[in-house]
Amino acid sequence: MSVVDRVAAPPAHRLAEIFVDRRAIAQNVQHFAWATQTPIMAVVKADGFGHGDVAEIALANGATWIGVATIPEALRLRAQGIAAPILSWLNPIDADWESAIAHRVDVAVTSLEQLYAVGDAARPETGPARIHLHLDVGMSRDGAPSDIWSALCVAARALEDAGRVRVIGIMGHLSVADDPTSTQNDVERLRFVNGVRVAHARGLAPSELHLAATAGALHRPDARFTLSRVGAGLYGIDPAGIAPLIPALTLTAPVAQLRRVAANVGVGYGHDYTTREATTLAVLPIGYGDGLPRAAQGSAEVTIRGRRYPVVGRISMDQIVVDVGDAAVELGDVALVMGPGSRHEPTAKEWATWSNTIEHELVTRLGVRSSRVLRTADARWAR
Ligand SMILES: *Cc1c(COP(=O)(O)O)cnc(C)c1O
């Protein structure tokens, strides 16, 4: 068996890289503003769904609010100079309410305990805490259960009178918006409308009413109210798979090693794959430690020089092996692992299908170790 090894030269840029196409994010935000005719809250939680700092791009292209899950995420944005209204909606009872109030971070409130905690943190010099009462309209996840809603509204009104909170908004979150025709959306929308009615009857006058996230904003005009909280859509993901959004993320990895092997050679841990004939194997320095899903084994492909090749054997922590056959692939060629699909590369949607997950999870998990380049994708990876 003749095995020829060609080992890569010392690292110039031997790393996987993530490119974030700022133009795509800009165009996606513009699409939402145009298609919904509703103010947009750009949801940038979890490091912008793995895309890095995108709040500024979103605000420059029509978003007027920023949404995050946690107060630390919101404070980080304030430290970066983001001045737009920011809402944090997943706040533990002992959250840093003082900092949130001091930095004008709006917080969602789902219980009386939370309401009193945030009200207690308000100081005369900072003014009242800005809160959004969050009603659970059907997810049975976060949000106030309907049986405490009236009491929550009454207590919030009392704290408003005491100058401790200001109810800026009322929010809900749809559970099956990715299926726009489901009647469950009608049920949940009605619960939201009733919740708003109860709040008004208890003396609250919130200016912001928001129920829709990406799928609701796109496909359920009746769920838009005064504001749409758009996360996935910013990055090019439509959970319903209908809207013409542009995936913003491209993941590349250079060919770090090429190896000619004979037929009947086992590849990778467990020898799950055996070569059928003599072929060339290319090693890419990216694996599940970088967020590639191990479950994509057996289906995954990458694109090199415009052609698709199968990822063979197990996906390791740091590397994958690609069977490139007899193709003229060279060391240093840049493989497109994932992208918008415009260069025959696999999309996040394909990777999600291969690994039985959703695009959201895939893009959010990428990049622990990859270097991220936040700029318009350019010719560097387009060869
Ligand atoms: C994550 C999240 C969003 C954004 O949802 P997308 O479907 O990604 O647009 C909106 N609202 C809440 C409460 C969320 O947790």
Side-chain angles (χ1 to χ4, degrees):
M1 184 172 70
S2 92
V3 175
V4 181
D5 266 320
R6 281 179 285 161
V7 180
H13 56 100
R14 298 286 85 181
L15 281 175
E17 283 187 295
I18 293 172
F19 295 86
V20 175
D21 183 350
R22 302 167 69 94
R23 258 178 332 192
I25 291 175
Q27 286 174 25
N28 291 334
V29 178
Q30 289 164 13
H31 177 79
F32 275 89
W34 166 82
T36 70
Q37 296 294 312
T38 307
I40 301 298
M41 174 187 290
V43 177
V44 302
K45 62 189 179 186
D47 196 23
F49 285 50
H51 291 66
D53 297 330
V54 301
E56 234 169 303
I57 308 168
L59 291 168
N61 286 279
T64 50
W65 280 74
I66 296 293
V68 290
T70 68
I71 290 172
E73 288 176 311
L75 297 176
R76 207 177 138 254
L77 292 166
R78 283 283 184 258
Q80 290 171 359
I82 301 288
I86 302 178
L87 171 64
S88 160
W89 52 69
L90 210 62
N91 308 302
I93 191 74
D94 59 349
D96 185 359
W97 307 112
E98 284 83 4
S99 296
I101 296 166
H103 290 91
R104 251 183 339 98
V105 172
D106 293 26
V107 293
V109 166
T110 64
S111 70
L112 284 166
E113 293 84 349
Q114 244 182 341
L115 177 68
Y116 292 131
V118 68
D120 274 351
R123 298 281 169 272
E125 60 275 19
T126 56
R130 295 167 51 94
I131 68 171
H132 298 232
L133 298 181
H134 182 180
L135 174 64
D136 176 15
V137 294
M139 185 94 80
S140 305
R141 201 183 61 171
D142 54 338
S146 56
D147 56 356
I148 71 154
W149 184 248
S150 175
L152 190 62
C153 292
V154 169
R157 173 60 207 246
L159 286 185
E160 274 196 336
D161 290 343
R164 296 200 157 265
V165 306
R166 228 179 98 206
V167 179
I168 304 293
I170 292 180
M171 67 183 282
H173 194 42
L174 297 170
S175 61
V176 292
D178 60 341
D179 178 6
T181 60
S182 167
T183 55
Q184 180 66 18
N185 293 305
D186 305 317
V187 171
E188 296 188 3
R189 180 187 179 278
L190 200 59
R191 287 186 186 137
F192 184 72
V193 169
N194 285 335
V196 172
R197 205 168 283 151
V198 168
H200 286 158
R202 303 295 176 264
L204 299 175
S207 55
E208 303 297 339
L209 305 176
H210 43 111
L211 177 64
T214 292
L218 287 171
H219 310 302
R220 294 289 305 216
D222 63 346
R224 287 174 194 154
F225 298 94
T226 73
L227 189 62
S228 295
R229 302 185 306 269
V230 178
L234 296 184
Y235 314 100
I237 300 168
D238 172 11
I242 303 168
L245 302 172
I246 310 165
L249 185 145
T250 293
L251 174 65
T252 69
V255 174
Q257 187 177 355
L258 283 165
R259 173 186 294 253
R260 191 73 193 168
V261 296
N264 300 313
V265 169
V267 179
Y269 289 123
H271 285 183
D272 287 6
Y273 179 79
T274 304
T275 57
R276 270 188 291 276
E277 51 203 44
T279 190
T280 298
L281 301 177
V283 176
L284 306 183
I286 184 164
Y288 64 78
D290 306 284
L292 272 194
R294 202 169 162 276
Q297 173 182 345
S299 307
E301 298 175 339
V302 301
T303 296
I304 305 174
R305 297 191 176 203
R307 273 190 57 192
R308 291 278 191 109
Y309 299 100
V311 174
V312 296
R314 288 190 197 161
I315 290 174
S316 304
M317 182 183 290
D318 315 303
Q319 46 192 308
I320 55 176
V321 178
V322 180
D323 189 339
V324 297
D326 297 323
V329 168
E330 300 204 354
L331 286 175
D333 278 355
V334 175
L336 296 175
V337 179
M338 193 184 301
S342 50
R343 291 172 176 80
H344 309 296
E345 77 278 19
T347 59
K349 180 125 195 127
E350 285 181 271
W351 275 97
T353 303
W354 295 335
S355 53
N356 190 30
T357 182
I358 55 174
E359 296 152 85
H360 312 52
E361 185 189 9
L362 266 174
V363 296
T364 303
R365 288 178 3 164
L366 290 175
V368 173
R369 204 162 38 180
S370 316
S371 57
R372 180 165 40 219
V373 186
L374 190 66
R375 64 167 183 222
T376 302
D378 63 17
R380 193 147 159 235
W381 52 267
R383 334 178 215 177

